[in-house]
Amino acid sequence: MYNLIKKNNLNQIYQYLLIVLAFLAPLTVFGANLVIVVICLIWLLSGEYKSKYNKIISNPLMLASIIFFSLHVLGLFWSEDLEWGLHIVHKMWYFLLLLPLLYTLTQRNYIKYYIISFLMAIIFTEIISYLIWFGFIPPFYKATLWDPTPFMSHISYNPILCIAIYIVCHQILFNLKLSQLTRYFYSFLSVTMIINMFITGGRAGHIMFFAMLGILFIQSLISKQYKAVFLIAILIPSVFFTAYQASDTFNTRVKDTVTSIKMYAPNSATALGHRITYGLNTIKLIKKNLIFGVGTGDFPQEYAKIHNHTAGSPNTTNPHNMYLLVQAQLGIFGLLSLLSIFYYQIKISFKSDNKFLRDFGITLPLLFLLVMLSDSYLLGHYTSLIFVFFSSFLYKNFEKN
């Protein structure tokens, strides 16, 4: 009886910590990492290792995650720059420990609390963003008047905001149990979030947003929610043209994108031009090291050799494309390992008996598969933590805890 009470109390502690983590994850590196350290220490010292081990190895996604990390460690053996290699391995530790660890702790009955806590953090960020944009408070930390994203750069903020918009919109469209008051609140929240999306400068997040609406459109068709289909069909062009006319930030981003593509040259002095050059140079690097890659730590120095032949383009330690980076570092096996994570996410989601978990479980990997074409989002703290945290319960075997 004592052990049962102790186990229940420990579980409650875990759930409170996970709810706090869901709130801190989009706000602060230090705060989120502090909670993660506490969770990890309790988990490592709490015993029941056989049960934890069995849970982890029974899920192919957890095994794919561990293999992906292990390949980064293996890639150190043919890396000359061990310091940079260990830096990359350190960034990838979520896939070895945190995702499997959280997977053993998250519970289906608490998912709604994780989601609410995450949305509260986004609402808080959104309020601060608007206060800066309207000039009520001065810009601080990452924020500027032109790009009011205070807690992280727009590169990370807009994709995370897009995930929050999806959650809210899915509830509005498909949750028939939602009270009328809650539906009105979520509708208001979705509007403010969408506006916030287009007063910030995250171009990848903008693309991700319209892709997300496209996914909602397809999910509405599959569910035969024809009112939702009609609404989204109107919403997509309406949001685009309204944002294009009303948002200087979005208007500039669209025009810059079109101009950068039309006028591209290896020495293009634009962010998109640089990224195209990074990608083309990295492909040259990949062709020379197709099977095993250059090693976990050698991308910067190997890229520099090719970069020296590209006049006017800055050097880089990252091609701003997750697929090219992994392929360059770890070869074809690394790329297949990365893709296997998304394969198992989608495969597991189709088996879910809950519409929200199934739809969200399919949407999350699809959005990351898209946005990783423009940057290495599984290396960034905020986006990788959000990805791992949601993966820890979306792809659980849905056993009753």
Side-chain angles (χ1 to χ4, degrees):
M1 178 64 72
Y2 172 77
N3 288 335
L4 180 61
I5 294 173
K6 184 179 179 181
K7 184 176 180 180
N8 289 336
N9 288 339
L10 184 60
N11 176 62
Q12 285 297 111
I13 292 171
Y14 280 137
Q15 300 314 311
Y16 291 144
L17 287 170
L18 289 171
I19 292 168
V20 172
L21 179 59
F23 181 79
L24 294 178
L27 297 178
T28 164
V29 174
F30 175 79
N33 282 342
L34 182 61
V35 175
I36 288 170
V37 168
V38 173
I39 292 174
C40 289
L41 286 175
I42 296 174
W43 189 88
L44 291 169
L45 296 174
S46 60
E48 298 189 340
Y49 302 118
K50 185 176 180 180
S51 174
K52 294 170 182 175
Y53 172 78
N54 289 334
K55 281 185 179 181
I56 291 168
I57 64 168
S58 68
N59 188 295
L61 174 60
M62 299 303 112
L63 295 179
S65 177
I66 293 170
I67 291 171
F68 180 59
F69 173 86
S70 299
L71 285 176
H72 283 82
V73 175
L74 189 62
L76 292 174
F77 286 96
W78 58 91
S79 295
E80 294 181 11
D81 189 346
L82 286 179
E83 183 179 356
W84 186 259
L86 291 171
H87 170 73
I88 296 296
V89 169
H90 171 72
K91 281 181 170 288
M92 287 292 170
W93 80 274
Y94 283 176
F95 292 90
L96 171 71
L97 180 58
L98 187 62
L99 177 53
L101 183 153
L102 294 181
Y103 174 79
T104 66
L105 301 179
T106 52
Q107 294 188 1
R108 188 167 185 170
N109 292 339
Y110 285 87
I111 289 176
K112 60 182 178 181
Y113 300 111
Y114 308 150
I115 297 290
I116 290 171
S117 185
F118 168 72
L119 290 178
M120 286 177 64
I122 299 300
I123 292 170
F124 174 71
T125 305
E126 186 186 359
I127 291 171
I128 299 298
S129 179
Y130 276 120
L131 289 175
I132 293 171
W133 193 58
F134 284 113
F136 291 111
I137 61 175
F140 63 94
Y141 194 39
K142 300 282 186 178
T144 65
L145 287 174
W146 179 79
D147 197 14
T149 55
F151 303 114
M152 67 187 82
S153 75
H154 61 250
I155 294 173
S156 298
Y157 177 67
N158 276 18
I160 293 173
L161 180 61
C162 182
I163 292 170
I165 295 172
Y166 174 83
I167 293 170
V168 172
C169 288
H170 193 281
Q171 291 297 299
I172 295 169
L173 296 175
F174 302 117
N175 189 349
L176 301 178
K177 297 179 180 179
L178 212 61
S179 69
Q180 199 66 19
L181 182 62
T182 305
R183 193 176 301 277
Y184 286 143
F185 173 70
Y186 276 178
S187 299
F188 171 76
L189 187 58
S190 66
V191 171
T192 62
M193 285 181 174
I194 291 172
I195 294 172
N196 194 233
M197 170 72 69
F198 292 99
I199 65 171
T200 55
R203 182 164 33 200
H206 296 157
I207 295 171
M208 188 176 175
F209 168 78
F210 288 109
M212 178 271 293
L213 289 182
I215 293 171
L216 273 175
F217 180 85
I218 294 170
Q219 290 172 347
S220 299
L221 274 176
I222 294 172
S223 301
K224 298 181 180 180
Q225 298 283 345
Y226 296 117
K227 289 183 178 179
V229 170
F230 178 73
L231 177 63
I232 297 170
I234 294 175
L235 189 62
I236 293 174
S238 299
V239 170
F240 181 87
F241 287 112
T242 301
Y244 187 79
Q245 295 297 326
S247 171
D248 290 338
T249 300
F250 183 64
N251 183 289
T252 301
R253 285 293 189 179
V254 172
K255 290 180 178 177
D256 285 350
T257 300
V258 173
T259 302
S260 296
I261 293 173
K262 285 183 177 180
M263 306 297 291
Y264 171 73
N267 59 350
S268 296
T270 65
L272 184 58
H274 292 328
R275 291 186 184 213
I276 294 173
T277 300
Y278 296 155
L280 294 175
N281 284 344
T282 302
I283 290 172
K284 294 177 185 177
L285 181 60
I286 289 170
K287 287 179 180 179
K288 297 179 180 179
N289 305 271
L290 185 62
I291 305 300
F292 298 108
V294 300
T296 305
D298 287 1
F299 178 85
Q301 66 181 35
E302 293 299 323
Y303 181 88
K305 296 176 184 177
I306 296 175
H307 159 259
N308 290 336
H309 302 287
T310 309
S313 172
N315 203 353
T316 186
T317 59
N318 183 345
H320 295 275
N321 180 305
M322 194 73 201
Y323 309 106
L324 293 180
L325 178 63
V326 172
Q327 171 75 58
Q329 289 176 329
L330 304 175
I332 191 66
F333 298 107
L335 181 61
L336 290 174
S337 177
L338 171 65
L339 294 176
S340 72
I341 292 174
F342 298 94
Y343 167 76
Y344 285 118
Q345 285 179 322
I346 295 171
K347 183 179 180 180
I348 292 170
S349 294
F350 276 116
K351 299 178 182 179
S352 176
D353 61 353
N354 179 281
K355 179 172 177 55
F356 173 72
L357 295 179
R358 181 173 62 252
D359 286 354
F360 190 15
I362 293 170
T363 301
L364 183 70
L366 290 179
L367 292 179
F368 266 84
L369 283 167
L370 172 64
V371 80
M372 288 193 309
L373 289 167
S374 67
D375 217 324
S376 303
Y377 279 95
L378 295 185
L379 282 179
H381 168 83
Y382 290 103
T383 47
S384 60
L385 179 54
I386 292 297
F387 179 83
V388 164
F389 182 77
F390 281 117
S391 295
S392 70
F393 60 82
L394 286 175
Y395 310 106
K396 199 144 184 176
N397 290 327
F398 304 117
E399 73 274 10
K400 291 184 179 180
N401 295 283

